[in-house]
Amino acid sequence: MIEELLPSGVTSSEAFDDAAPAPLFPAEAALMVGRRERRRRQFATARACARRALADLGRQPVALLPGPGGAPQWPSGVVGSITHCEGYRAAVAAPRAVVAALGIDAEPAGPLPRGVLALITSPAERAHLADLAAADNSVPWERVLFSAKEAAYKAWYPATGVWLGFRDAALVLSPAGTFTATLHPPAGAVSVDPVYGGRWLAGRGLVVTAVARPVHAGARA
């Protein structure tokens, strides 16, 4: 699914279960000590997807350990993103010389848990979701919006090191499968253009979103 959302130059790998063997590097395995078996298998499959995406770039397999903010630390010269949810694991990677920021997210299709939507959206976003649902109620719009914000943040934070909350992004979704996320960092915090374009896809009981910003689009005009 994820490859349908990616531009040329970005590699990807995905899995819909944890059936394939997925060995971990010792440092990665140490992160999973004491975790439930289900969580360990999910983590291992997602890391295996990441190593396949790196291999498609001609890179050797390496341990992918969390850095500041919990995002995986990718090899020098590479940007990437990992996601996992019930029934889906995926990873993407690209040369830093081609892609400045990369973020993906996957979520189970369906409504958000009660109370979550009000916490992560503005009144304008909720009105936007209502308009989208009135035009086509077959799409889990609130889940698409949640996932799109996650993908935008995953692209934003590794590139800037600036932490943002869910309400620090204003989302506009298009029924055509695209979205625009306008982020609102503290004044003067970064010189990166805060407007991120992305794509979304719903199918197989999942919502998948991706942001891939080309290098030339990374700076504020």
CSV table of all heavy atoms in Angstrom, one decimal, residues 84-86 105-114 116-117 120-121 125 129 132-133 138-151 166 171 173 179 199-203 205-210:
chain,number,residue,atom,x,y,z
A,84,HIS,N,3.8,1.2,12.4
A,84,HIS,CA,3.2,-0.2,12.6
A,84,HIS,C,1.9,0.0,13.3
A,84,HIS,O,1.8,0.9,14.2
A,84,HIS,CB,4.1,-1.1,13.4
A,84,HIS,CG,4.8,-0.5,14.6
A,84,HIS,ND1,4.1,-0.3,15.8
A,84,HIS,CD2,6.0,-0.1,14.8
A,84,HIS,CE1,4.9,0.2,16.6
A,84,HIS,NE2,6.1,0.4,16.1
A,85,CYS,N,0.9,-0.8,13.0
A,85,CYS,CA,-0.3,-0.8,13.7
A,85,CYS,C,-0.9,-2.2,13.5
A,85,CYS,O,-0.2,-3.1,12.9
A,85,CYS,CB,-1.3,0.2,13.1
A,85,CYS,SG,-2.0,-0.1,11.4
A,86,GLU,N,-2.0,-2.5,14.1
A,86,GLU,CA,-2.6,-3.8,14.0
A,86,GLU,C,-2.8,-4.2,12.5
A,86,GLU,O,-3.5,-3.5,11.7
A,86,GLU,CB,-4.0,-3.8,14.7
A,86,GLU,CG,-4.6,-5.2,14.8
A,86,GLU,CD,-3.8,-6.1,15.6
A,86,GLU,OE1,-3.2,-5.7,16.6
A,86,GLU,OE2,-3.8,-7.4,15.3
A,105,ASP,N,2.6,7.0,8.2
A,105,ASP,CA,1.8,6.5,9.3
A,105,ASP,C,0.8,5.6,8.8
A,105,ASP,O,0.3,5.8,7.7
A,105,ASP,CB,1.2,7.7,10.1
A,105,ASP,CG,0.5,7.2,11.3
A,105,ASP,OD1,1.2,6.7,12.3
A,105,ASP,OD2,-0.8,7.2,11.4
A,106,ALA,N,0.4,4.6,9.6
A,106,ALA,CA,-0.7,3.7,9.3
A,106,ALA,C,-1.6,3.5,10.5
A,106,ALA,O,-1.1,3.5,11.7
A,106,ALA,CB,-0.1,2.3,8.9
A,107,GLU,N,-2.8,3.5,10.3
A,107,GLU,CA,-3.8,3.3,11.3
A,107,GLU,C,-4.9,2.4,10.9
A,107,GLU,O,-5.2,2.3,9.7
A,107,GLU,CB,-4.5,4.7,11.6
A,107,GLU,CG,-3.5,5.8,12.0
A,107,GLU,CD,-3.0,5.7,13.4
A,107,GLU,OE1,-3.7,5.0,14.2
A,107,GLU,OE2,-1.9,6.2,13.7
A,108,PRO,N,-5.6,1.7,11.9
A,108,PRO,CA,-6.8,0.9,11.5
A,108,PRO,C,-7.9,1.9,11.0
A,108,PRO,O,-8.1,2.9,11.7
A,108,PRO,CB,-7.1,0.2,12.8
A,108,PRO,CG,-6.5,1.1,13.9
A,108,PRO,CD,-5.3,1.7,13.3
A,109,ALA,N,-8.5,1.5,10.0
A,109,ALA,CA,-9.7,2.4,9.5
A,109,ALA,C,-10.8,2.3,10.5
A,109,ALA,O,-11.1,1.3,11.1
A,109,ALA,CB,-10.1,1.9,8.1
A,110,GLY,N,-11.4,3.4,10.7
A,110,GLY,CA,-12.5,3.5,11.6
A,110,GLY,C,-12.4,4.7,12.5
A,110,GLY,O,-11.5,5.5,12.4
A,111,PRO,N,-13.5,5.0,13.2
A,111,PRO,CA,-13.5,6.2,14.0
A,111,PRO,C,-12.4,6.2,15.1
A,111,PRO,O,-12.0,5.1,15.6
A,111,PRO,CB,-14.9,6.2,14.7
A,111,PRO,CG,-15.3,4.8,14.7
A,111,PRO,CD,-14.7,4.2,13.4
A,112,LEU,N,-12.0,7.4,15.6
A,112,LEU,CA,-11.1,7.5,16.7
A,112,LEU,C,-11.8,7.2,18.0
A,112,LEU,O,-13.0,7.3,18.1
A,112,LEU,CB,-10.5,8.9,16.7
A,112,LEU,CG,-9.6,9.4,15.6
A,112,LEU,CD1,-9.4,10.9,15.7
A,112,LEU,CD2,-8.3,8.6,15.6
A,113,PRO,N,-11.0,6.8,19.0
A,113,PRO,CA,-11.7,6.6,20.3
A,113,PRO,C,-12.4,7.8,20.8
A,113,PRO,O,-12.0,8.9,20.4
A,113,PRO,CB,-10.5,6.2,21.2
A,113,PRO,CG,-9.4,5.7,20.3
A,113,PRO,CD,-9.6,6.5,19.0
A,114,ARG,N,-13.4,7.6,21.5
A,114,ARG,CA,-14.2,8.7,22.0
A,114,ARG,C,-13.4,9.8,22.7
A,114,ARG,O,-12.5,9.5,23.6
A,114,ARG,CB,-15.3,8.2,23.0
A,114,ARG,CG,-16.1,9.3,23.7
A,114,ARG,CD,-17.2,8.8,24.5
A,114,ARG,NE,-18.4,8.7,23.9
A,114,ARG,CZ,-19.6,8.3,24.4
A,114,ARG,NH1,-19.6,7.9,25.7
A,114,ARG,NH2,-20.7,8.3,23.8
A,116,VAL,N,-11.0,11.7,21.5
A,116,VAL,CA,-9.7,12.0,20.9
A,116,VAL,C,-9.8,13.1,19.9
A,116,VAL,O,-9.0,14.0,19.8
A,116,VAL,CB,-9.1,10.7,20.3
A,116,VAL,CG1,-7.8,11.1,19.5
A,116,VAL,CG2,-8.7,9.7,21.4
A,117,LEU,N,-10.8,13.1,19.1
A,117,LEU,CA,-11.0,14.1,18.0
A,117,LEU,C,-10.9,15.5,18.6
A,117,LEU,O,-10.2,16.4,18.0
A,117,LEU,CB,-12.2,13.8,17.2
A,117,LEU,CG,-12.4,14.7,16.0
A,117,LEU,CD1,-11.3,14.4,14.9
A,117,LEU,CD2,-13.8,14.5,15.3
A,120,ILE,N,-7.3,16.7,19.4
A,120,ILE,CA,-6.3,16.9,18.3
A,120,ILE,C,-6.7,17.8,17.2
A,120,ILE,O,-5.9,18.0,16.3
A,120,ILE,CB,-5.9,15.5,17.7
A,120,ILE,CG1,-7.1,14.9,16.9
A,120,ILE,CG2,-5.5,14.5,18.8
A,120,ILE,CD1,-6.7,13.8,16.1
A,121,THR,N,-7.9,18.4,17.2
A,121,THR,CA,-8.3,19.2,16.1
A,121,THR,C,-8.9,20.5,16.6
A,121,THR,O,-9.2,20.7,17.8
A,121,THR,CB,-9.5,18.5,15.3
A,121,THR,OG1,-10.6,18.2,16.3
A,121,THR,CG2,-9.0,17.2,14.7
A,125,GLU,N,-11.1,22.5,11.7
A,125,GLU,CA,-10.8,21.1,11.2
A,125,GLU,C,-12.0,20.2,11.4
A,125,GLU,O,-12.4,19.4,10.5
A,125,GLU,CB,-9.6,20.5,11.9
A,125,GLU,CG,-8.3,21.1,11.5
A,125,GLU,CD,-7.1,20.6,12.3
A,125,GLU,OE1,-7.3,20.5,13.5
A,125,GLU,OE2,-6.1,20.4,11.7
A,129,LEU,N,-14.0,18.2,8.5
A,129,LEU,CA,-14.3,16.8,8.5
A,129,LEU,C,-15.8,16.5,8.3
A,129,LEU,O,-16.2,15.6,7.6
A,129,LEU,CB,-13.9,16.2,9.9
A,129,LEU,CG,-12.4,16.1,10.1
A,129,LEU,CD1,-12.1,15.6,11.5
A,129,LEU,CD2,-11.7,15.2,9.1
A,132,LEU,N,-16.6,16.9,4.6
A,132,LEU,CA,-16.1,15.7,3.9
A,132,LEU,C,-17.0,14.5,4.1
A,132,LEU,O,-17.3,13.8,3.1
A,132,LEU,CB,-14.6,15.4,4.4
A,132,LEU,CG,-13.5,16.3,4.0
A,132,LEU,CD1,-12.3,16.0,4.7
A,132,LEU,CD2,-13.3,16.3,2.4
A,133,ALA,N,-17.4,14.3,5.3
A,133,ALA,CA,-18.3,13.2,5.6
A,133,ALA,C,-19.6,13.3,5.0
A,133,ALA,O,-20.2,12.3,4.5
A,133,ALA,CB,-18.5,13.0,7.1
A,138,SER,N,-18.1,7.1,3.3
A,138,SER,CA,-17.4,5.8,3.2
A,138,SER,C,-16.0,5.9,3.7
A,138,SER,O,-15.4,4.8,3.9
A,138,SER,CB,-17.5,5.2,1.8
A,138,SER,OG,-16.7,6.0,0.9
A,139,VAL,N,-15.4,7.1,3.8
A,139,VAL,CA,-14.0,7.3,4.2
A,139,VAL,C,-14.0,7.6,5.7
A,139,VAL,O,-14.8,8.5,6.2
A,139,VAL,CB,-13.4,8.4,3.4
A,139,VAL,CG1,-12.0,8.6,3.9
A,139,VAL,CG2,-13.4,8.0,1.9
A,140,PRO,N,-13.1,7.0,6.5
A,140,PRO,CA,-13.0,7.3,7.9
A,140,PRO,C,-12.2,8.6,8.0
A,140,PRO,O,-11.0,8.6,8.4
A,140,PRO,CB,-12.2,6.1,8.5
A,140,PRO,CG,-11.4,5.6,7.3
A,140,PRO,CD,-12.2,5.8,6.1
A,141,TRP,N,-12.8,9.7,7.8
A,141,TRP,CA,-12.1,11.0,7.6
A,141,TRP,C,-11.3,11.4,8.9
A,141,TRP,O,-10.2,11.9,8.8
A,141,TRP,CB,-13.0,12.1,7.2
A,141,TRP,CG,-13.6,12.0,5.8
A,141,TRP,CD1,-14.9,11.6,5.5
A,141,TRP,CD2,-12.8,12.1,4.6
A,141,TRP,NE1,-15.0,11.6,4.1
A,141,TRP,CE2,-13.8,11.8,3.6
A,141,TRP,CE3,-11.5,12.4,4.3
A,141,TRP,CZ2,-13.4,11.9,2.2
A,141,TRP,CZ3,-11.2,12.5,3.0
A,141,TRP,CH2,-12.1,12.2,2.0
A,142,GLU,N,-11.9,11.2,10.0
A,142,GLU,CA,-11.2,11.6,11.3
A,142,GLU,C,-9.9,10.8,11.5
A,142,GLU,O,-8.9,11.3,11.9
A,142,GLU,CB,-12.1,11.6,12.5
A,142,GLU,CG,-12.6,10.2,12.8
A,142,GLU,CD,-13.6,10.3,14.0
A,142,GLU,OE1,-14.6,11.0,13.9
A,142,GLU,OE2,-13.4,9.6,15.0
A,143,ARG,N,-9.9,9.5,11.1
A,143,ARG,CA,-8.7,8.7,11.2
A,143,ARG,C,-7.7,9.1,10.1
A,143,ARG,O,-6.5,9.1,10.4
A,143,ARG,CB,-9.1,7.2,11.0
A,143,ARG,CG,-8.0,6.3,11.2
A,143,ARG,CD,-7.6,6.2,12.7
A,143,ARG,NE,-8.5,5.4,13.5
A,143,ARG,CZ,-8.3,5.0,14.7
A,143,ARG,NH1,-7.1,5.1,15.2
A,143,ARG,NH2,-9.2,4.3,15.4
A,144,VAL,N,-8.2,9.5,8.9
A,144,VAL,CA,-7.2,10.0,7.9
A,144,VAL,C,-6.5,11.3,8.4
A,144,VAL,O,-5.3,11.4,8.3
A,144,VAL,CB,-8.0,10.3,6.6
A,144,VAL,CG1,-7.0,11.0,5.6
A,144,VAL,CG2,-8.6,9.0,6.0
A,145,LEU,N,-7.3,12.2,9.0
A,145,LEU,CA,-6.7,13.4,9.6
A,145,LEU,C,-5.7,13.1,10.7
A,145,LEU,O,-4.6,13.6,10.7
A,145,LEU,CB,-7.8,14.3,10.1
A,145,LEU,CG,-7.3,15.7,10.6
A,145,LEU,CD1,-8.3,16.8,10.2
A,145,LEU,CD2,-7.2,15.7,12.1
A,146,PHE,N,-6.0,12.2,11.6
A,146,PHE,CA,-5.1,11.8,12.7
A,146,PHE,C,-3.8,11.3,12.1
A,146,PHE,O,-2.7,11.6,12.4
A,146,PHE,CB,-5.8,10.8,13.6
A,146,PHE,CG,-4.9,10.3,14.6
A,146,PHE,CD1,-4.8,10.9,15.9
A,146,PHE,CD2,-4.1,9.1,14.4
A,146,PHE,CE1,-4.0,10.4,16.9
A,146,PHE,CE2,-3.3,8.6,15.4
A,146,PHE,CZ,-3.2,9.3,16.7
A,147,SER,N,-3.9,10.4,11.1
A,147,SER,CA,-2.8,9.7,10.5
A,147,SER,C,-1.9,10.7,9.7
A,147,SER,O,-0.7,10.7,9.8
A,147,SER,CB,-3.2,8.6,9.6
A,147,SER,OG,-2.1,7.9,9.0
A,148,ALA,N,-2.6,11.7,9.0
A,148,ALA,CA,-1.9,12.7,8.3
A,148,ALA,C,-1.1,13.6,9.2
A,148,ALA,O,0.1,14.0,8.9
A,148,ALA,CB,-2.8,13.5,7.4
A,149,LYS,N,-1.6,13.9,10.3
A,149,LYS,CA,-0.8,14.7,11.3
A,149,LYS,C,0.4,13.9,11.8
A,149,LYS,O,1.5,14.5,12.0
A,149,LYS,CB,-1.7,15.1,12.5
A,149,LYS,CG,-2.7,16.2,12.1
A,149,LYS,CD,-3.3,16.9,13.4
A,149,LYS,CE,-4.2,18.0,13.0
A,149,LYS,NZ,-4.6,18.9,14.1
A,150,GLU,N,0.2,12.6,12.1
A,150,GLU,CA,1.3,11.8,12.5
A,150,GLU,C,2.4,11.8,11.4
A,150,GLU,O,3.6,11.9,11.8
A,150,GLU,CB,0.8,10.4,12.8
A,150,GLU,CG,0.0,10.2,14.1
A,150,GLU,CD,0.9,10.1,15.3
A,150,GLU,OE1,2.2,10.2,15.1
A,150,GLU,OE2,0.4,9.8,16.4
A,151,ALA,N,2.0,11.6,10.2
A,151,ALA,CA,3.0,11.5,9.1
A,151,ALA,C,3.7,12.9,9.0
A,151,ALA,O,5.0,12.9,8.8
A,151,ALA,CB,2.3,11.2,7.8
A,166,PHE,N,-0.4,18.1,18.5
A,166,PHE,CA,-1.4,17.8,17.5
A,166,PHE,C,-2.1,19.1,17.0
A,166,PHE,O,-2.4,19.2,15.9
A,166,PHE,CB,-2.4,16.8,17.9
A,166,PHE,CG,-2.0,15.4,17.6
A,166,PHE,CD1,-1.4,14.6,18.7
A,166,PHE,CD2,-2.2,14.8,16.4
A,166,PHE,CE1,-1.1,13.3,18.4
A,166,PHE,CE2,-1.8,13.5,16.1
A,166,PHE,CZ,-1.2,12.7,17.2
A,171,LEU,N,-4.8,20.8,9.2
A,171,LEU,CA,-4.9,19.9,8.1
A,171,LEU,C,-6.1,20.2,7.2
A,171,LEU,O,-7.2,20.6,7.6
A,171,LEU,CB,-5.1,18.5,8.7
A,171,LEU,CG,-3.9,17.5,8.7
A,171,LEU,CD1,-3.5,17.1,7.4
A,171,LEU,CD2,-2.8,18.2,9.5
A,173,LEU,N,-7.8,18.1,4.0
A,173,LEU,CA,-7.8,16.8,3.3
A,173,LEU,C,-8.5,17.0,2.0
A,173,LEU,O,-9.5,17.7,1.9
A,173,LEU,CB,-8.5,15.8,4.1
A,173,LEU,CG,-7.9,15.5,5.5
A,173,LEU,CD1,-8.8,14.5,6.3
A,173,LEU,CD2,-6.5,15.0,5.5
A,179,PHE,N,-3.3,15.7,1.0
A,179,PHE,CA,-3.6,16.6,2.1
A,179,PHE,C,-2.5,17.7,2.2
A,179,PHE,O,-1.4,17.5,1.7
A,179,PHE,CB,-3.7,15.8,3.4
A,179,PHE,CG,-2.4,15.1,3.9
A,179,PHE,CD1,-1.5,15.8,4.6
A,179,PHE,CD2,-2.2,13.8,3.6
A,179,PHE,CE1,-0.3,15.1,5.1
A,179,PHE,CE2,-1.1,13.1,4.0
A,179,PHE,CZ,-0.1,13.8,4.7
A,199,ARG,N,0.1,12.5,1.0
A,199,ARG,CA,-0.9,11.7,0.3
A,199,ARG,C,-1.5,10.7,1.3
A,199,ARG,O,-0.8,10.3,2.2
A,199,ARG,CB,-0.3,11.0,-0.9
A,199,ARG,CG,0.2,11.9,-2.0
A,199,ARG,CD,0.8,11.2,-3.2
A,199,ARG,NE,-0.3,10.5,-3.9
A,199,ARG,CZ,0.0,9.5,-4.8
A,199,ARG,NH1,1.2,9.2,-5.1
A,199,ARG,NH2,-1.0,9.0,-5.4
A,200,TRP,N,-2.7,10.3,1.0
A,200,TRP,CA,-3.4,9.3,1.9
A,200,TRP,C,-4.1,8.2,1.0
A,200,TRP,O,-4.4,8.4,-0.1
A,200,TRP,CB,-4.4,9.9,2.8
A,200,TRP,CG,-5.6,10.6,2.2
A,200,TRP,CD1,-5.7,11.9,1.8
A,200,TRP,CD2,-6.8,9.9,1.9
A,200,TRP,NE1,-6.9,12.1,1.2
A,200,TRP,CE2,-7.6,10.9,1.3
A,200,TRP,CE3,-7.3,8.7,2.0
A,200,TRP,CZ2,-8.9,10.7,0.8
A,200,TRP,CZ3,-8.6,8.4,1.6
A,200,TRP,CH2,-9.4,9.4,1.0
A,201,LEU,N,-4.3,7.1,1.7
A,201,LEU,CA,-4.9,5.9,1.0
A,201,LEU,C,-5.7,5.1,2.1
A,201,LEU,O,-5.2,4.9,3.2
A,201,LEU,CB,-3.9,5.0,0.3
A,201,LEU,CG,-4.4,3.8,-0.4
A,201,LEU,CD1,-5.2,4.1,-1.6
A,201,LEU,CD2,-3.2,2.9,-0.8
A,202,ALA,N,-6.9,4.8,1.8
A,202,ALA,CA,-7.7,3.9,2.7
A,202,ALA,C,-8.1,2.6,1.9
A,202,ALA,O,-8.5,2.7,0.8
A,202,ALA,CB,-9.0,4.6,3.1
A,203,GLY,N,-7.8,1.5,2.6
A,203,GLY,CA,-8.2,0.2,2.0
A,203,GLY,C,-7.7,-0.9,2.8
A,203,GLY,O,-6.8,-0.7,3.7
A,205,GLY,N,-8.9,-2.3,5.3
A,205,GLY,CA,-9.2,-2.0,6.7
A,205,GLY,C,-8.1,-1.1,7.3
A,205,GLY,O,-8.0,-1.0,8.6
A,206,LEU,N,-7.4,-0.3,6.5
A,206,LEU,CA,-6.3,0.5,7.0
A,206,LEU,C,-6.4,1.9,6.4
A,206,LEU,O,-7.0,2.1,5.3
A,206,LEU,CB,-4.9,-0.1,6.6
A,206,LEU,CG,-4.6,-1.5,7.2
A,206,LEU,CD1,-3.4,-2.1,6.4
A,206,LEU,CD2,-4.2,-1.3,8.6
A,207,VAL,N,-5.8,2.9,7.1
A,207,VAL,CA,-5.5,4.2,6.5
A,207,VAL,C,-4.0,4.4,6.5
A,207,VAL,O,-3.4,4.1,7.6
A,207,VAL,CB,-6.2,5.3,7.4
A,207,VAL,CG1,-5.6,6.7,7.0
A,207,VAL,CG2,-7.7,5.2,7.2
A,208,VAL,N,-3.4,4.7,5.4
A,208,VAL,CA,-2.0,4.9,5.3
A,208,VAL,C,-1.7,6.3,4.8
A,208,VAL,O,-2.4,6.8,3.8
A,208,VAL,CB,-1.3,3.9,4.4
A,208,VAL,CG1,0.2,4.1,4.3
A,208,VAL,CG2,-1.7,2.5,4.8
A,209,THR,N,-0.8,7.0,5.4
A,209,THR,CA,-0.4,8.4,4.9
A,209,THR,C,1.1,8.5,4.8
A,209,THR,O,1.8,7.8,5.4
A,209,THR,CB,-0.9,9.4,5.9
A,209,THR,OG1,-0.4,9.1,7.2
A,209,THR,CG2,-2.5,9.5,6.0
A,210,ALA,N,1.5,9.5,3.9
A,210,ALA,CA,2.9,9.7,3.7
A,210,ALA,C,3.2,11.2,3.3
A,210,ALA,O,2.4,11.8,2.6
A,210,ALA,CB,3.4,8.8,2.6
